[in-house]
Amino acid sequence: KLSRFNNIAHSGEATKPALSFQDGKEHARTFVSDRLEVLNEHYRFEYRKVAIRNQRTRWGSCSKRGNLNFNYRIASLPLHLADYVIVHELCHLKEFNHSKQFWSLVARAIPDHHERRKELRGILMGVRYDEGTFGLTFMVKCIQCIYRYEVL
């Protein structure tokens, strides 16, 4: 039997449950819209729609059609990490890959993006507890990259 937890945990320690998707969606929409306005001043990229979703394994994604998608839990992240996710997805509007050019774009607004990315990897999202193995498995995904961790 697989139990799912709808919370964000730091350093492997569970925190209080996050807002439900319905409760957190509008808060996240306002938060992301405000941060996009500020962070996109640097780039002036055009995007179509911004969607707030209940993704289990992604903080954000960018479609080739120019739509930006963000997990509603992004509003629970520390501001510097939420900004990293938003800038990361904004930069995919120009470079839809993780090339040197992409990372150069990210570095224009977030020079310490390597450290922020590493810190973000330490935050559990989409936590799944499998009672059969007494282990904890979680995944953090960007549209182009997947990180899988197992804690037994």
Side-chain angles (χ1 to χ4, degrees), residues 38-72:
V38 170
L39 296 166
N40 199 28
E41 284 179 13
H42 184 78
Y43 297 105
R44 304 253 187 247
F45 292 151
E46 292 185 21
Y47 51 89
R48 293 180 61 186
K49 293 189 299 184
V50 175
I52 304 299
R53 302 185 184 282
N54 186 9
Q55 302 156 308
R56 286 186 226 189
T57 58
R58 294 183 184 179
W59 289 110
S61 62
C62 174
S63 74
K64 289 199 178 226
R65 299 184 76 199
N67 297 323
L68 299 173
N69 303 296
F70 295 97
N71 191 306
Y72 81 100

Side-chain angles (χ1 to χ4, degrees), residues 3-4 21 24 26 39 41-42 44 50 52 54 57 68 74 76 81 84 90 95 101 103 111 113-114 120 124 152:
S3 299
R4 291 192 174 92
F21 176 61
E26 290 311 312
L39 296 166
E41 284 179 13
H42 184 78
R44 304 253 187 247
V50 175
I52 304 299
N54 186 9
T57 58
L68 299 173
I74 194 171
S76 299
L81 296 180
Y84 164 74
L90 271 172
E95 293 287 336
Q101 293 84 0
W103 291 114
H113 63 87
H114 293 294
L120 187 62
L124 304 180
L152 298 176

